[in-house]
């Protein structure tokens, strides 16, 4: 059901778009500070690697569950209002994390911070509502680019802040930036009218989607044990099948589904989701493997780099990630989203295979990672724009939030594949993987990324975008 006619909303200027972009950058920074400092957190909190792994995925899980809820609420109540309330939750999470004396409290803080993922579909709702059609793709690209760039910035600064000040400040500083950016958004961005009036939340659908995400994550976490415990594999597959079947049944029957399954009948939508998953698997593998290669000192390979050195080496990738969103938005306006995604996939594949073949010098990895960051950022931006413009305004938040859920699942899958391949490639009696394990994992990433071209090929038959 569409909302009653409302007075037209004035379009926003560049300052308002910049405010949303700055907020996205601050969120991306806070999102990424745990990963590079996980060994430090384990040491200071006295936790083992298994508990550290739980800490590393807590935000991913809650983020994947929050994004669809935020998208639906934004469509039905207005994107700006819901975004402000989400930032209150994220700020509380940042404060809890910065003050956490132990693992349970830090996990609670990370769970609250996960609400930040919901801000992205809300920003897409706002950019599409408050900007002319020819400006919204670039604005969406700017916001996406700031978020990705913020993530790289967090990876770079987390270690120096934690070592130079304390682990508390690596949470507190991005949280203060989020508060300041939220004030800017509140002042500069006009309120938007709800796109839909059916304000009921599909709680059964949300619970079943939560079951799907949690089962999928649990399956990834226990994947190394499944070879020796086939019943575990069967249990995960059966449970996942039950949740998926139940979710589909509920979404088909409810009057106000959280996700309209009829959208999946559109090739532009389901193929966007497939390509998003595949490219994020490849990107996650590159992030994990390149960092490991910089740090490792193996037999004839690796560089034994310190955390500070790794930060410097990743700086070009951070710069490419920051500009990838705006470039992707400009590319979509000029050439169409399919062309941008195809170019990004080719560039990502070249970077991954290139690093698999040649990684004897630092600059080989620096260049390869920078190319992948640029290509992946442009791909995700173009896929979000494609998804947003393939549905009516009332479904913008719902459809784009699923892109973000799939992005989270893709990154989690890629990281797990990387860890599994390196573990399998570690010789007995050694804790350093063989060089061939890195090569194998990078080739896998390149193959998965390339295969996404099969879904892309007919993503928009007869359509320019």
């Amino acid at each position: 059901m569409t909302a009653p006619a409302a007075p037209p909303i004035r379009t926003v200027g560049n300052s308002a778009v910049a405010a949303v972009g700055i907020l996205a950058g601050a969120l991306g920074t806070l999102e990424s500070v745990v990963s590079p400092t996980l060994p430090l957190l384990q040491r200071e909190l006295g936790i083992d690697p298994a508990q550290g792994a739980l800490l590393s995925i807590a935000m991913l899980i809650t983020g994947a569950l929050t994004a669809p809820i935020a998208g639906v609420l934004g469509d039905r109540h207005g994107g700006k209002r819901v975004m402000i309330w989400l930032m209150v939750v994220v700020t509380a999470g940042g404060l809890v994390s910065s003050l956490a004396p132990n693992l349970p409290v830090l996990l609670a803080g990370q769970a609250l911070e996960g609400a930040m993922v919901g801000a992205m579909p809300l920003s897409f709702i706002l950019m599409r509502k408050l900007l002319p059609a020819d400006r919204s793709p670039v604005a969406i690209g700017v916001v996406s680019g700031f978020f990705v760039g913020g993530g790289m910035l967090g990876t770079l600064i987390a270690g120096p802040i934690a070592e130079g000040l304390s682990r508390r400040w690596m949470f507190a500083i991005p949280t203060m930036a989020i508060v300041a950016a939220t004030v800017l958004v509140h002042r500069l961005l006009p309120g938007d009218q709800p796109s839909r009036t059916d304000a009921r939340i599909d709680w059964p659908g949300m619970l079943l989607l939560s079951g799907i995400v949690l089962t999928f994550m649990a399956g990834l976490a226990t994947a190394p044990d499944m070879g020796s415990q086939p019943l575990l594999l069967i249990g995960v597959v059966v449970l996942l099948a039950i949740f998926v079947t139940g979710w589909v049944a509920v979404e088909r029957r409810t009057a106000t589904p959280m996700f309209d399954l009829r959208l999946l009948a559109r090739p532009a939508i389901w193929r966007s989701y497939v390509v998003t998953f595949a490219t994020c698997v490849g990107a996650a593998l590159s992030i994990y493997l390149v960092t490991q290669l910089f740090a490792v000192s193996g037999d004839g390979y690796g560089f034994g780099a310190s955390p500070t050195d790794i930060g410097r080496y990743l700086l070009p990738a951070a710069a490419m990630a920051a500009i990838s969103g705006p470039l992707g938005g400009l590319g979509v306006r000029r050439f169409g989203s399919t062309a941008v995604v195809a170019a990004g996939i080719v560039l990502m594949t070249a970077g991954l295979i290139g690093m698999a073949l040649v990684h004897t010098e630092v600059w080989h990895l620096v260049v390869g990672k920078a190319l992948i960051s640029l290509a992946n950022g442009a791909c995700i931006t173009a896929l979000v724009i494609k998804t947003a413009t393939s549905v009516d305004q009332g479904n913008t938040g719902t459809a784009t939030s699923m892109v973000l859920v799939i992005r989270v699942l893709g990154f989690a899958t890629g990281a797990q594949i990387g860890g599994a391949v390196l573990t399998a490639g570690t010789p007995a009696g050694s804790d350093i993987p063989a060089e061939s394990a890195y090569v194998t994992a990078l080739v896998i990433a390149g193959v998965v990324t390339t295969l996404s071209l099969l879904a892309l090929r007919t993503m928009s038959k007869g359509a320019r975008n």
Side-chain angles (χ1 to χ4, degrees):
M1 179 187 292
T2 44
I9 302 174
R10 64 181 177 87
T11 58
V12 298
N14 292 335
S15 59
V17 175
V20 178
I22 292 170
L23 177 59
L27 292 171
T29 303
L30 182 61
E31 180 195 44
S32 61
V33 297
V34 167
S35 181
T37 58
L38 195 54
L40 180 147
L41 291 171
Q42 290 176 191
R43 185 171 63 252
E44 291 196 357
L45 296 174
I47 60 179
D48 58 35
Q51 293 170 320
L54 178 61
L55 181 61
S56 68
I57 66 172
M59 187 187 299
L60 290 177
I61 294 173
T62 56
L65 302 180
T66 301
I69 298 174
V72 172
L73 291 176
D75 284 333
R76 297 174 183 178
H77 298 289
K80 178 183 175 181
R81 178 191 301 178
V82 179
M83 179 180 284
I84 298 299
W85 280 109
L86 271 184
M87 293 307 99
V88 173
V89 176
V90 173
T91 299
L95 292 174
V96 170
S97 296
S98 66
L99 298 173
N102 52 43
L103 178 62
V105 178
L106 184 54
L107 282 173
Q110 292 297 289
L112 291 172
E113 286 179 31
M116 72 174 66
V117 180
M120 299 309 291
L122 295 175
S123 68
F124 303 148
I125 292 172
L126 291 167
M127 295 302 98
R128 193 174 177 202
K129 281 183 178 179
L130 304 179
L131 289 171
D134 62 335
R135 287 184 59 201
S136 60
V138 177
I140 290 174
V142 168
V143 174
S144 297
F146 268 90
F147 184 77
V148 175
M152 294 302 296
L153 177 63
T155 301
L156 294 173
I157 68 174
I161 291 176
E163 293 174 351
L165 297 173
S166 76
R167 63 177 170 85
R168 303 183 187 281
W169 284 104
M170 75 179 190
F171 296 110
I173 291 175
T175 300
M176 290 187 287
I178 289 170
V179 172
T182 301
V183 172
L184 283 177
V185 169
H186 179 69
R187 291 177 62 88
L188 297 176
L189 206 67
D192 59 307
Q193 296 293 330
S195 300
R196 301 167 64 176
T197 57
D198 49 346
R200 293 177 56 194
I201 300 298
D202 175 23
W203 291 114
M206 290 307 310
L207 290 173
L208 288 167
L209 180 64
S210 300
I212 293 172
V213 172
L214 292 172
T215 303
F216 186 85
M217 292 290 192
L220 290 178
T222 57
D225 300 323
M226 289 183 179
S228 58
Q229 301 181 41
L231 290 179
L232 180 61
L233 173 61
I234 294 172
V236 169
V237 171
V238 170
L239 187 60
L240 192 60
I242 291 172
F243 278 126
V244 171
T245 302
W247 184 67
V248 170
V250 167
E251 298 306 281
R252 292 182 63 181
R253 294 176 183 177
T254 186
T256 57
M258 60 153 291
F259 183 82
D260 189 347
L261 292 177
R262 291 174 297 181
L263 296 177
L264 292 178
R266 305 181 188 183
I269 300 298
W270 70 261
R271 290 190 172 105
S272 290
Y273 294 164
V274 171
V275 175
T276 297
F277 182 82
T279 55
C280 286
V281 168
L285 274 163
S286 75
I287 293 170
Y288 178 80
L289 296 169
V290 167
T291 303
Q292 296 290 325
L293 272 171
F294 280 141
V296 74
S297 183
D299 184 13
Y301 76 98
F303 305 97
S306 69
T308 301
D309 290 333
I310 293 173
R312 290 193 294 109
Y313 298 155
L314 291 176
L315 189 58
M320 291 298 100
I323 66 172
S324 64
L327 285 179
L330 289 170
V332 169
R333 188 167 68 178
R334 177 67 178 84
F335 302 107
S337 58
T338 303
V340 172
V341 175
I345 291 172
V346 171
L347 192 59
M348 276 190 68
T349 302
L352 290 164
I353 300 301
M355 289 192 298
L357 298 175
V358 183
H359 49 262
T360 55
E361 301 288 342
V362 167
W363 72 267
H364 296 158
L365 300 180
V366 169
V367 172
K369 185 67 187 75
L371 289 177
I372 292 168
S373 292
L374 176 64
N376 182 250
C379 273
I380 296 302
T381 298
L383 289 165
V384 167
I385 294 171
K386 179 66 179 177
T387 303
T389 55
S390 296
V391 298
D392 58 67
Q393 283 196 4
N395 283 309
T396 300
T398 304
T400 56
S401 68
M402 291 302 292
V403 173
L404 299 174
V405 173
I406 292 167
R407 174 181 175 268
V408 167
L409 298 180
F411 270 93
T413 302
Q416 186 62 42
I417 290 173
V421 172
L422 293 190
T423 300
T426 301
S430 172
D431 58 357
I432 298 177
E435 183 179 5
S436 59
Y438 288 94
V439 174
T440 299
L442 286 167
V443 170
I444 290 173
V447 170
V448 171
T449 303
T450 303
L451 288 176
S452 64
L453 285 171
L454 297 176
L456 179 70
R457 192 165 65 92
T458 55
M459 189 168 77
S460 57
K461 282 185 177 180
R464 185 175 182 275
N465 287 335

